Amino acid sequence: MSMELDVFVGNTTVLDQDVYQLWLDGHTVSDAVRIRMEAGALQECEANAEVLHSDTTDQFRTFQMCERLLQSPSKVANQLLFQIPPHRQTMLIERYYEFDSVFAREVLGKKLSKGTKKDLDDISSKTGIALKSCRRQFDNFKRVFKVVEELKGPLVENIQRHFLLSDVLARDYAAIVFFANSRFEAGKRKLQYLSFQDFAFCAGQLISYWTVGAVDNMMEDLDVDLEKDFLHDLKDLKVLVNDKDMLDQHKSLVCAQLRGKIKVFSEMEANFKNLSRALVNIASKLTHTKDFRDLFIDLVEKLIEPCRSDKWTIGDLRLFLKHYSSSVHMLEAFRHQVIWDRYMSVIKSCILKMYHD
Amino acid sequence: MPGKLKAKIVAGRHLPVMDRASDLTDAFVEVKFGNTTFKTDVYPKSLNPQWNSEWFKFEVDDEDLQDEPLQITVLDHDTYSANDAIGKVYIDIDPLLCSEAATVISGWLPIYDTIHGIRGEINVLVKVDLFNDLNRFRQSSCGVKFFCTTSIPRCYRAVMVHGFVEELVVNEDPEYQWIDRIRTPRASNEARQRLIFLMSGELQRKIGLKVLEMGGNAVVGYLQCFDLEGESGLVVRAIGTACTLEKISTFPATATHPNNSSPSKDMKDSPQAAPSTLGCRSTHSSPVHSASSRLSQGFSVSVPTLLFAGMKPRHRSSEVPRARQCRPGFGEEAPGVPLSSGPPTPLRAQTFSSFSPSKSYSRQSSSSDTELSLTPKTVGIFLCPSTPALESESSPLPSAHLPCHLRPGMASRSTTPPPLHISQSDTAMLRKSVSFSEELLLAVSGMGSGGSAGKEAGPLKALLRQQTQSALEQREYPFFTLTAFPPGFLLHVGGVVSARSVKLLDRIHNPALGNTRSYKLLDWNSFTADEPETRDAWWEEIRQEIKSHAKALGCHAVVGYSESTSICEEVCILSASGTAAVLSSRFMQDGPLDTEHRLSRQPLCVFSTGSERVEGDMGSSASLGFEEVVSPGCGFCHIPYDELNIPFPAQLTYCYCCRRYKVPDVLFTTIDLPTEANVTGKGCLIQARLCRTKKKAQGEGNATAISSLLPFLEYELHTQLMNKLKLRGMNALFGLRIQISVGETMLLGLASATGVYLTALPSPGGIQIAGKTPSDITYEQHISTMQKKINDTIDKNKELYEINPPEVVEEIIGSPIPEPRQRSRLFRSHSESSDEVSELDLSHGKKDAFVLEIDDTDAVEDIHALLTDSPTPAGFYSCNTEIMPGIQNWTSAIQMFTSVRVFRLNANLTNQGLNKIFSDLCENLLKSLYFKLRSMVPCCLCHLNFTVAIPEDELIQVAVTAVAMSFDKEQPLENGKQSGEKTLIKAITENDEQLQFNLELNAETSSHNPLSSPKGLSEVGSHLSARDRCSSWIEQLKLKAHTIRRGSVKTTSSLEKASPLPEGRSRSLRSNRSYSGSSVAVVKMTPLSFIPGAKIIKYLGIINMFFIRETSSLREEGGVSGFLHTFIAEVFAMVRAHVAALGGNAVVSYSMKECVFMENPNKNQAQCLINVSGDAVIFVRESELESTSVQTQSATTHTSNGGEGT
């Protein structure tokens, strides 16, 4: 004796958000039933296990049927198969594209290819996220990447338009696309302490100020490639450390500003030249793909770690960077103010974001 | 010939990839109607082709327009091989043929393939230019409106209800043709789909013709069914109720329903006259005047003619048809209009009496018309004062007159006899009437009372029945598929009548079957003459039986009538059921009956001296006058049958409302609860379920076995219903539907109904258990515990359903007119009854208990089964009727759904085991529904329609279609007009209870919160919490997402959790709609005839769709459940799309007629057939009457824009 067939179809598609989440998280039906039972679903409506199982199976099937649509969200609104009120459509899509930042952190900077897909097993066991959910998230990344890759115009807007995502989520996807496109090194052990959000913030900064799209909206192709001219111009900043006079002048200006204002003044004073050299060197080497990919590891090794070992507080660092970048304006011999500002504003906010334990 | 169909193919979208190499499709479209085909250009390499074709024009007969669908095929162009079909769209253009329905079909329609399901959408435009066919012999019936709704559609009023129409069309099933062996499943399915489309079109056209013949302009309660008989063919049959409907114009319709079905209006709307209307109307106006001038002259002769009326139908029935001649005259009835619309003063009766001569004659004439019409089933004739004259002339020479008067109908109009003539004829009648026998006298008096009906005086029952016979005698089947009626139409309800018959399919043979033409339609009726064993004959047999049952109940009509079949191999069970009733004639063809009975008071006075019995009648009828005015809430409960000669055992008591008429102790009906009915408390769904094993057998033996099982099955179902009804403390069933399904090794019986407590009926006694062996102490204890349990359940149920009937007080407050009451007492006293007696009766009824005898284990099981029905969870109500008594304040939140379950049984189960399984299956299904829809609480599942089938040995299939409707608890129930009057106090206490309950619920949810933070989810939550950063954009969404991530599922209130349908629930939703820019218009669906909180402003036509879906990759499509789930969703989608294309935003009276599911898991195959129907409508929210129309408009523009955008 068994239930051969059991379906429930509503004119308005019946969607249970909790069950949707369980489905997205990659649970099996029996897992989901267990979790729902533990969550007290049986108290509702005098349900029994059988009812719950039937409901869960049915919901899972519904989601599975919707999945095809969710993969091209623009179809959700004008498909005829499921009558779903608009706000529910939004919810479905948003949830489907939401991802675990732990997972995203693992994938960050990796090529979104089949090879990586094979690593999902490892990521799954490492993060405790169900493999099924990993696959969905990875496929989402890949899908968004593929679609956006060939589109003109601003990245975030493109993602938003094609996937009907919220602004926040679209920005996260932009970061993922940006990382996947630029192949930044993010997997090194020294970078492990950084969260996805840290990287996403940095990516946002880079996208906003350093990319092709940042200066010209009408550029063809993916606008997340960094502006070549800008990177090339960054080489001119070398003068700041190569010209001894300028370096000294810069140092004295910064010291004058910071004296008494930061606790680590002496350490700063002693380290100024190293720090400045590190910052300028990073800038000048960005044209090389290898060095470019190492941007974050460089920032950590050359700047963050030394500061941390000298026990700078984040406030100290903020003041230092502020004055370090602004005092350059007072160097009369320095003629690359615009480039400098463009570089420093991004680097400053990235460092500050990354400066934590 | 007159019709030009125009179609334009605009664009396609979401097409499937047909060319693997390019991942694109080179699509073009074939548009086919009849034998003409047009093609669009190929739109290369696109999944969203823009054809923007020219207008394809088809010049066709309107007959074809009605029968044929427009067939649109989307194909992929292939240079080297044959073009691949992507899918098809069938468009029923019937809605375009009626001027009042849709004018254009325009929108995105799903492209459907029977193997792959929906494959993209196509945007089309379809229009029809129709030239009116005035030919009387035409075969088309364009313009007749069809409604699935089983009540008078909301924006119409019934001018006249003509009666039963039926038709049946047979063909061989393409699935069983020899050619099927060599063609693909797709070709077979498509042949079948197309054939059924054609057959339903033809069926509808033929029914339309019958309606026109009867003088109607619409079919209400249209019920079309398919019988897939396998080898022996395919039957499409339909029944309905022919009506003359009139659109309610913008100014408020006459508040009191039209007593005065104004003849002039009838005229206008009656399509029978319509072909000639233009010419006819003008001729009309003059007779009206002449008639009114004649008015005064009519008075004197009224009495004798009445006499004649009683007798006439009997021996004149076979006389010359005079209908056509008469018709022209009916305009003369017009003077009745102003008179009857006046206040119902005694004066009025007199006025009416002036018309009596004409009325009575016209009835004859209508009966004679029966012979004239091609389909003698029903009568469709108006009455006219002119008849008498002709009558007297023609009576000596019967059939000779026929030819000359038949055709020149128009001409005869001018010969309408002058007033003078009438009085002459009347006097002639008078002379005749003198010779009438006493028997006839009685008949007459019966007739007089019959109209007002509801006589409690016993002896009159006989008369009543006689009257009954004559009233609808002309109709072959006085059946009505309606389940709800205009106020005052339904006078009395006798009870459920049903008939079943077991037939062997292999005994029918169709001489025309066996040829290879796949879509040659055969009209089975044409063979009836020489083929006695046809479907038509079968149904005729059953209908006759139903009719005689109704007669036995003293009723002249059957309402809520429906027919069904169950087929297993070569055995077929035909079933018909309905509710025997006495109807007011006011909406019927022989409407004058109505007036006749009123004026009958006068003649009765004349004759009363002759007969004591008549006197009794006169008393009541006089006191009653307009009965519906006196006791609207209980009138229909009063027994129509003879008290001394009750056709079945029943205990009669005096009505608890009016205390004047007898009522039965329980009442079973197949109709909806009349809106005016007095009900105590709320109702609930009551189901009796039964499984009986049967030996496998073949042919005749099998049929015999089934027939011998049937009565037992029905008896047990009935007993179960009765027990369950009593267990819930209720006394009446509405919407009763007994379904019996036959399988190879078992019979399934499922009876569903809505139980209510009718205030007019006595309170049901409890259930008492009696054991056979009282000596045994343990046994006695066992019985007493069981008894206690039952009593507790009854008490609990009474509380649950708020059944607290007012204590019977000696002097009834509600008795509206004291005088007539006294009078009636006076009359009653000389028969057996007096008020004291009735008092006694009441108390007796109360004490009386229903005794269940436990004589064997079976009975014990039965009682257990009785108690295992779990009550509906808090906040839920359920019924299978349209509305739930006691709930008025519906919100606009509705969710229609279909649920299907198939259960596999083990072999070798006993009856008991089977019963339990079947019962559990239904119970669990209900429980699942409640759980699914829990977010809509408080809500009521309405129109719960269960369908059971035995698709295979050891399989039970249960399909449910229903609608869940939320209602507002907070508002008091007083806005309902009748409930407000009913019991104010009750409403208040009710509210209190509800409040209490609400608090309880809240407390419950909140108390769970801390406890229920689930382990599993919190694990999940730990790594999810990082996502919290991704704050969502929509405030509401964010909130919910948040709770989820935190892992505390319970904190979201259960209301928000699952949302089967918040459509229209919150205001915010509506604002969201514009925000998201959805391009698909929302189409609501409901099995009910209305949409809560909204007004239906237009009916766009009937939706009647048939789909087949097949797969040979069942596993890949998610198994049987996945397959069927997709299919049902696709069917919904197609219904919605077609409704939207007609310009509608809802489907009412939706039903899934057929869901035949077959699987072969071993071959990885499955096939399913679904037939759905409903009425496409445009509704407007009551709250936003103006704004919505704008919204719908914008929605449609959205739709078209959407296509271009992608």
Side-chain angles (χ1 to χ4, degrees), chain B residues 395-658:
Chain B
S395 46
L397 36 145
S399 51
H401 256 260
L402 194 145
C404 57
H405 281 287
L406 185 63
R407 278 291 101 219
M410 302 296 186
S412 71
R413 221 163 273 187
S414 56
T415 67
T416 305
L420 192 118
H421 199 101
I422 283 187
S423 52
Q424 272 179 357
S425 69
D426 282 339
T427 47
M429 289 314 151
L430 191 67
R431 256 177 279 131
K432 262 190 188 172
S433 64
V434 178
S435 61
F436 286 155
S437 64
E438 200 185 274
E439 185 206 329
L440 276 172
L441 272 178
L442 292 179
V444 170
S445 54
M447 162 83 76
S449 63
S452 74
K455 302 300 117 14
E456 85 294 6
L460 269 165
K461 286 287 142 60
L463 299 176
L464 189 76
R465 209 170 302 148
Q466 273 176 317
Q467 174 275 322
T468 288
Q469 279 168 17
S470 51
L472 283 155
E473 194 167 3
Q474 310 92 320
R475 293 159 205 254
E476 188 168 7
Y477 304 116
F479 297 167
F480 301 86
T481 53
L482 302 177
T483 57
F485 305 89
F489 189 44
L490 187 70
L491 294 180
H492 303 289
V493 169
V496 170
V497 285
S498 77
R500 282 177 217 287
S501 132
V502 183
K503 297 283 180 189
L504 268 182
L505 290 175
D506 60 355
R507 286 178 59 191
I508 337 129
H509 60 280
N510 184 341
L513 288 186
N515 66 25
T516 54
R517 280 169 300 169
S518 60
Y519 45 80
K520 173 71 193 149
L521 294 176
L522 300 166
D523 178 4
W524 198 275
N525 292 331
S526 56
F527 294 97
T528 39
D530 34 80
E531 272 294 321
E533 277 289 313
T534 61
R535 288 308 122 80
D536 240 9
W538 288 0
W539 286 112
E540 216 149 287
E541 212 173 83
I542 287 209
R543 288 174 193 142
Q544 285 298 345
E545 199 179 327
I546 289 275
K547 193 179 168 185
S548 67
H549 286 334
K551 262 183 198 163
L553 283 174
C555 294
H556 59 76
V558 176
V559 294
Y561 180 73
S562 67
E563 294 175 347
S564 63
T565 57
S566 168
I567 296 169
C568 176
E569 304 287 313
E570 75 283 354
V571 174
C572 175
I573 303 183
L574 311 182
S575 313
S577 71
T579 305
V582 176
L583 300 177
S584 154
S585 46
R586 88 163 42 133
F587 290 100
M588 288 197 279
Q589 198 60 53
D590 25 7
L593 188 75
D594 174 53
T595 49
E596 209 170 282
H597 90 252
R598 255 171 245 159
L599 61 99
S600 70
R601 265 164 260 148
Q602 277 188 313
L604 275 174
C605 289
V606 176
F607 294 115
S608 57
T609 44
S611 147
E612 284 180 0
R613 287 175 285 183
V614 173
E615 193 180 36
D617 171 49
M618 187 213 82
S620 59
S621 74
S623 68
L624 267 177
F626 302 86
E627 200 200 349
E628 52 275 54
V629 176
V630 174
S631 50
C634 64
F636 74 94
C637 309
H638 303 158
I639 53 163
Y641 38 83
D642 184 350
E643 189 184 332
L644 301 175
N645 193 12
I646 309 174
F648 50 84
Q651 283 182 340
L652 301 180
T653 46
Y654 280 100
C655 173
Y656 276 57
C657 279
C658 65

Side-chain angles (χ1 to χ4, degrees), chain A residues 2 4-7 9 11-12 15-16 18 44 55 61 78 80 83 88 99-101 172 197, chain B residues 13 895-896 898-902 904 932 934 1024 1026-1027 1029 1044 1049 1057 1059 1079 1083 1136 1159:
Chain A
S2 58
E4 280 282 288
L5 183 157
D6 178 8
V7 297
V9 191
N11 181 37
T12 306
L15 303 162
D16 186 317
D18 297 352
E44 288 176 64
D55 179 61
R61 191 169 48 234
N78 60 15
L80 302 175
Q83 182 156 287
R88 298 232 127 213
F99 52 85
D100 294 301
S101 31
D172 281 350
Q197 301 318 334
Chain B
R13 70 180 183 195
Q895 165 73 300
M896 194 279 300
T898 291
S899 184
V900 182
R901 285 191 176 184
V902 175
R904 185 172 289 282
K932 275 263 185 232
R934 65 195 182 284
L1024 288 185
R1027 275 197 301 224
R1029 196 198 53 87
I1044 298 289
V1049 179
K1057 258 162 119 192
S1059 100
S1079 59
V1083 175
R1136 286 192 301 257
E1159 57 164 327

Side-chain angles (χ1 to χ4, degrees), chain A residues 179-196:
Chain A
F179 264 75
N181 185 56
S182 311
R183 306 278 315 283
F184 284 111
E185 181 55 70
K188 285 271 162 57
R189 220 174 51 80
K190 277 188 177 164
L191 294 177
Q192 285 308 308
Y193 80 99
L194 291 171
S195 72
F196 169 75

Side-chain angles (χ1 to χ4, degrees), chain A residues 156-174:
Chain A
V156 178
E157 273 174 47
N158 278 341
I159 294 173
Q160 244 181 307
R161 193 165 59 242
H162 277 84
F163 291 92
L164 308 174
L165 300 178
S166 67
D167 188 54
V168 182
L169 193 53
R171 279 178 198 288
D172 281 350
Y173 268 94

